[in-house]
Amino acid sequence: MKKPYPVRIEPLSPETLAAASALNLAIFENEPMDVDYPPLWFKASLDPQRYAKEYAQTKTKYVQYYVARGPLSEKVIGTVGLYVLTSDPNDVCWLGWFCVAEASRGKGIGSALLAFSIAQARTLGKKRLKLYTSDESGEADAQRLYERYGFKIIKKEQTPGKKYTAI
């Protein structure tokens, strides 16, 4: 049996903010004007009062992000977040900005982050965890990971220039 890669998962902090933002921007296509721009929401999760306008505009009532760090350095090698919308039923939580640095993939870090997120959602009293993902070929590994953890496709939507699948 393959020994799991040791990873530390901790809440996003002001010290890890820049590295987490850079990692997400390297992996996901985002524009600063996007309503869900990762650096904006990473900052908003650290200071909800300062970003009350963004919370209200997006009907977001809770956001918490986490980073994964490797055993030999302080480098951020993954991110994941949980958020709740005001329109959600009480038992629903969303997974947000889940990613692992390309050089760190295939070591179980994504599994560790996903298992951690599921446990955190349960701690919040949530029974259902949802996410948006792309059905592009580059997302195949992520899709398999989601399926191993029991996620199912419940709806498909097409947005301009991209296809996304809500699971």
Side-chain angles (χ1 to χ4, degrees):
M1 180 177 203
K2 184 178 176 183
K3 185 177 178 182
Y5 186 78
V7 62
R8 271 188 351 259
I9 300 172
E10 59 193 51
L12 177 73
S13 68
E15 294 75 32
T16 58
L17 176 62
S21 296
L23 174 59
N24 269 261
L25 293 176
I27 293 175
F28 298 108
E29 295 177 24
N30 291 287
E31 297 295 326
M33 297 307 293
D34 291 347
V35 70
D36 61 348
Y37 188 60
L40 169 71
W41 279 102
F42 288 171
K43 290 177 198 170
S45 73
L46 295 173
D47 192 353
Q49 281 126 357
R50 181 174 176 202
Y51 291 89
K53 177 181 163 188
E54 286 78 6
Y55 276 75
Q57 285 176 335
T58 59
K59 298 181 171 129
T60 302
K61 65 180 177 182
Y62 172 84
V63 180
Q64 175 67 58
Y65 287 96
Y66 301 90
V67 296
R69 293 186 187 202
L72 302 176
S73 77
E74 293 298 305
K75 187 174 181 178
V76 171
I77 56 175
T79 66
V80 69
L82 295 173
Y83 65 96
V84 177
L85 302 175
T86 58
S87 59
D88 288 334
N90 286 337
D91 68 338
V92 171
C93 192
W94 289 85
L95 191 74
W97 299 121
F98 171 57
C99 69
V100 175
E102 287 189 38
S104 298
R105 292 181 185 168
K107 298 176 180 176
I109 297 163
S111 292
L113 281 167
L114 194 52
F116 174 86
S117 299
I118 292 167
Q120 288 299 114
R122 286 186 181 134
T123 299
L124 294 172
K126 306 303 180 182
K127 294 180 182 173
R128 293 185 288 161
L129 184 58
K130 295 183 174 186
L131 62 94
Y132 282 99
T133 185
S134 170
D135 61 2
E136 294 176 7
S137 61
E139 299 292 324
D141 289 341
Q143 297 296 345
R144 284 189 292 276
L145 177 62
Y146 300 142
E147 289 169 8
R148 278 198 316 267
Y149 278 84
F151 287 81
K152 305 278 186 237
I153 295 172
I154 58 170
K155 181 179 176 183
K156 287 189 176 189
E157 299 175 347
Q158 187 167 356
T159 58
K162 294 205 173 231
K163 293 180 185 176
Y164 288 95
T165 306
I167 294 183

